[in-house]
Amino acid sequence: MDEALLRSLTPRVLAVLVRRGADFAAAEDAVQDALVEAVRVWSADPPKDPKGWLVTVAWRRFLDAARADTARRRREDRADEEPAPGPVPSTDDTLWLYFLCAHPSLTPSSAVALTLRAVGGLTTRQIAQAYLVPEATMAQRISRAKRTVSGVRFDRPGDVATVLRVLYLVFNEGYSGDVDLAAEAIRLTRQLAAVIDHPEVAGLLALMLLHHARRDARTAPDGSLVPLAEQDRSRWDTRSIAEGIGILQTALARDRLGEFQAQAAIAALHADALTAAETDWVQIVEWYDELVGLTDSPVARLNRAVAVGEADGPRAGLAALADLDPALPRYTAVAAYLHERAGDLAEAARLYTEAAFRAPNVAERDHLTRQAARLHTAGHG
């Protein structure tokens, strides 16, 4: 079973059903039913036209549900007949669907959560981690969003800022999480940049390209995580770096700074350094100051503490860290790193062990466990 194929087809099939008149919540349920059926039967008998197969099965599921629900009889008037069998147009409506999910009837946070779940393919747990909230809270938020848009006409697309937020979170999950969605997020952001002249769209595309350029160097042959300072920079994609920096420079020249441009500027400074030792940490701190001013994000403040530790020394970094909530994801890992830099190896080893227990994915857990073991060995050497 090709999970990547199913994931890429999900938003396109969902878009077809919505265009044919299905309400969003019912269409999503029908698509999920079709995906379950695909997992069951495709291994033995894969279809020649996977998208067409999914559309046909999902549409049948939608019609069955519509006919069984007397409170929604009006849908039967829009769907008297099943569409004739045959090839499904290859039009990619994914970006259109992103805008429709960012519906004006939803708050931006609810629109993002709904889109990530229904279109982006992320689990409720993954979305909750991105928003720094409990999984149960995020599940309730998504359920409320589905109820809000149930029966709503999708003829008033949402705003660009909400769509950018969704694309950013999808990319982050694909870049660092268990599911590879980064390339799809870049593809959609390129589409958006081609039709919308907006500096933050350009900033997001530049940010994605600059981060994605380092992807091959982020893991060792055995799959273990390689920190930025230890990466083989000859494996970085120089073409993507050049493209990202060019896009960023054009956006910054318009003097309409936003959070994605600020993040891209930080990524560009890392990409510019031929070695880790040549990184311009002072300028990176300045850009983090801009980013914190724009967003007041606790994650930005956490990353700023790391940069301060590199620019002004680990004690300064720990002082910056002291102002943050210790429950913040990766807080303990940052504290461990700064304590190690400051020479407090016993405390660093303890914190690395604690951070490994809290790690959001296997790769980070294993990396932090190795860091703790390394310091324990050094302490007993």
Side-chain angles (χ1 to χ4, degrees):
M1 173 55 58
D2 190 338
E3 181 181 346
L5 175 62
L6 284 178
R7 190 172 297 280
S8 68
L9 289 176
T10 297
R12 303 178 192 187
V13 175
L14 183 59
V16 171
L17 266 64
V18 172
R19 282 196 182 278
R20 288 180 177 175
D23 104 3
F24 185 88
E28 190 206 358
D29 289 342
V31 172
Q32 292 303 316
D33 286 346
L35 293 175
V36 171
E37 185 70 4
V39 170
R40 188 179 71 83
V41 305
W42 279 16
S43 296
D45 185 23
K48 293 181 180 179
D49 178 10
K51 179 182 176 183
W53 188 98
L54 287 169
V55 168
T56 299
V57 173
W59 189 250
R60 287 172 179 166
R61 293 291 194 276
F62 165 70
L63 291 181
D64 289 345
R67 290 175 181 134
D69 189 349
T70 56
R72 298 177 180 177
R73 287 295 181 186
R74 70 184 190 281
R75 290 197 184 87
E76 291 189 355
D77 295 333
R78 297 200 299 265
D80 290 333
E81 300 179 0
E82 181 180 327
V88 176
S90 60
T91 303
D92 181 4
D93 288 327
T94 307
L95 190 58
W96 170 82
L97 195 58
Y98 270 64
F99 272 94
L100 291 189
C101 288
H103 196 272
S105 64
L106 296 172
T107 64
S109 61
S110 293
V112 170
L114 176 63
T115 313
L116 289 172
R117 183 70 186 92
V119 187
L122 273 64
T123 65
T124 303
R125 177 184 60 82
Q126 290 168 326
I127 302 169
Q129 288 176 345
Y131 269 88
L132 311 180
V133 300
E135 183 174 349
T137 300
M138 183 54 64
Q140 293 174 353
R141 184 179 298 177
I142 294 171
S143 294
R144 285 196 299 269
K146 287 182 180 180
R147 288 195 298 270
T148 299
V149 300
S150 181
V152 167
R153 284 187 60 82
F154 282 86
D155 54 0
R156 295 159 55 212
D159 66 351
V160 174
T162 301
V163 173
L164 289 178
R165 176 62 48 189
V166 175
L167 289 169
Y168 173 68
L169 291 173
V170 169
F171 176 83
N172 279 347
E173 190 60 43
Y175 188 68
S176 62
D178 301 324
V179 179
D180 185 359
L181 298 169
E184 174 69 358
I186 291 173
R187 185 182 71 84
L188 292 173
T189 306
R190 282 192 187 279
Q191 286 187 6
L192 189 58
V195 297
I196 295 180
D197 182 21
H198 190 294
E200 274 295 80
V201 176
L204 180 58
L205 180 56
L207 175 63
M208 289 178 174
L209 290 169
L210 290 164
H211 276 302
H212 206 60
R214 304 199 302 259
R215 182 156 192 170
D216 288 346
R218 292 183 73 245
T219 53
D222 63 359
S224 60
L225 192 65
V226 180
L228 175 61
E230 300 172 20
Q231 289 175 15
D232 178 358
R233 299 185 178 216
S234 69
R235 298 182 63 194
W236 289 1
D237 182 350
T238 55
R239 181 177 299 179
S240 291
I241 289 173
E243 182 186 4
I245 290 176
I247 292 170
L248 173 63
Q249 289 174 337
T250 300
L252 290 175
R254 300 176 66 175
D255 198 24
R256 291 170 54 194
L257 184 64
E259 62 172 297
F260 296 125
Q261 294 169 74
Q263 288 190 57
I266 294 167
L269 286 167
H270 284 297
D272 271 342
L274 296 178
T275 66
E278 296 176 72
T279 305
D280 189 345
W281 286 106
V282 172
Q283 194 173 169
I284 287 176
V285 171
E286 292 174 356
W287 275 110
Y288 270 120
D289 289 340
E290 294 279 2
L291 183 60
V292 168
L294 289 165
T295 67
D296 198 28
S297 162
V299 175
R301 291 183 179 276
L302 181 67
N303 291 330
R304 179 185 178 278
V306 176
V308 168
E310 299 290 351
D312 301 326
R315 295 299 175 190
L318 287 167
L321 193 65
D323 295 332
L324 302 177
D325 183 354
L328 191 64
R330 297 186 175 89
Y331 176 99
T332 310
V334 169
Y337 173 75
L338 291 172
H339 275 287
E340 180 183 357
R341 288 278 319 283
D344 190 351
L345 302 189
E347 178 65 3
R350 184 190 71 78
L351 290 168
Y352 276 129
T353 301
E354 182 181 338
F357 180 76
R358 298 182 178 183
N361 57 61
V362 174
E364 285 192 41
R365 182 196 66 197
D366 291 348
H367 170 72
L368 293 166
T369 300
R370 284 192 296 271
Q371 297 296 89
R374 174 178 56 81
L375 293 185
H376 279 303
T377 301
H380 292 89

